[in-house]
Amino acid sequence: MAYWLFKSEPNTWSWDQQVAKGDAGEEWDGVRNYQARNHMRNMAIGEEGFFYHSMKEKSVVGIVEVCALCHPDSTTDDPRWECVDIKAVRQVPNPITLAMVKSDPRLSEMVLVKNSRLSVQPVTPEEWSIICEIGGVV
DNA sequence: GCCAACGTTGGC
DNA sequence: GCCAACGTTGGC
């Protein structure tokens, strides 16, 4: 079971909007980056990911679950771009800020730190449990 | 608002 | 196939 991180600019697509979609979920469309797309191709139904707000907030605010496998991105005719669907699972009680991630030496190897521009990232099981712990996720 | 880092594009 | 130019992202 792999873990992931989905990054979004809240002005474009926010956690609240994701929650409003409920269990039906929503396409994680608009990704135009091969690395990010390849990560989505590797996702399985039921795998979990963090939902990260970039720009002003810079925090992990929620947890999502993959609810549809990789399929063509409906927002483009370009066959290169595909995406999964994700649904909100739960809010993180105490959002984990980027500053908190950077200040924890155990998280210094996170893709979020190393390659902040990648919009869909893998998260290791160790990183997952550390962030859940800091965030108050039981 | 600025700028560094990165990915993509296109000319050669 | 290389590399310079450009556009975009996102932290500060």
Side-chain angles (χ1 to χ4, degrees), chain A residues 50-118:
Chain A
F50 291 127
F51 192 103
Y52 176 84
H53 273 167
S54 66
M55 305 302 275
K56 293 217 76 166
E57 294 185 46
K58 288 171 293 185
S59 310
V60 172
V61 293
I63 290 176
V64 294
E65 182 181 312
V66 177
C67 60
L69 291 177
C70 213
H71 58 82
D73 184 332
S74 69
T75 62
T76 176
D77 290 331
D78 192 328
R80 292 179 297 171
W81 304 122
E82 304 172 6
C83 60
V84 296
D85 290 8
I86 59 173
K87 65 178 183 184
V89 174
R90 61 177 305 184
Q91 191 157 351
V92 171
N94 314 306
I96 302 95
T97 65
L98 181 62
M100 290 159 72
V101 170
K102 285 189 167 175
S103 67
D104 193 319
R106 297 173 298 173
L107 301 174
S108 62
E109 292 299 312
M110 273 194 80
V111 180
L112 190 63
V113 177
K114 294 267 172 173
N115 183 4
S116 61
R117 291 190 46 189
L118 185 59

Side-chain angles (χ1 to χ4, degrees), chain A residues 117-133:
Chain A
R117 291 190 46 189
L118 185 59
S119 59
V120 179
Q121 314 178 353
V123 173
T124 69
E126 291 76 20
E127 292 160 353
W128 182 268
S129 62
I130 292 166
I131 288 176
C132 284
E133 189 186 324

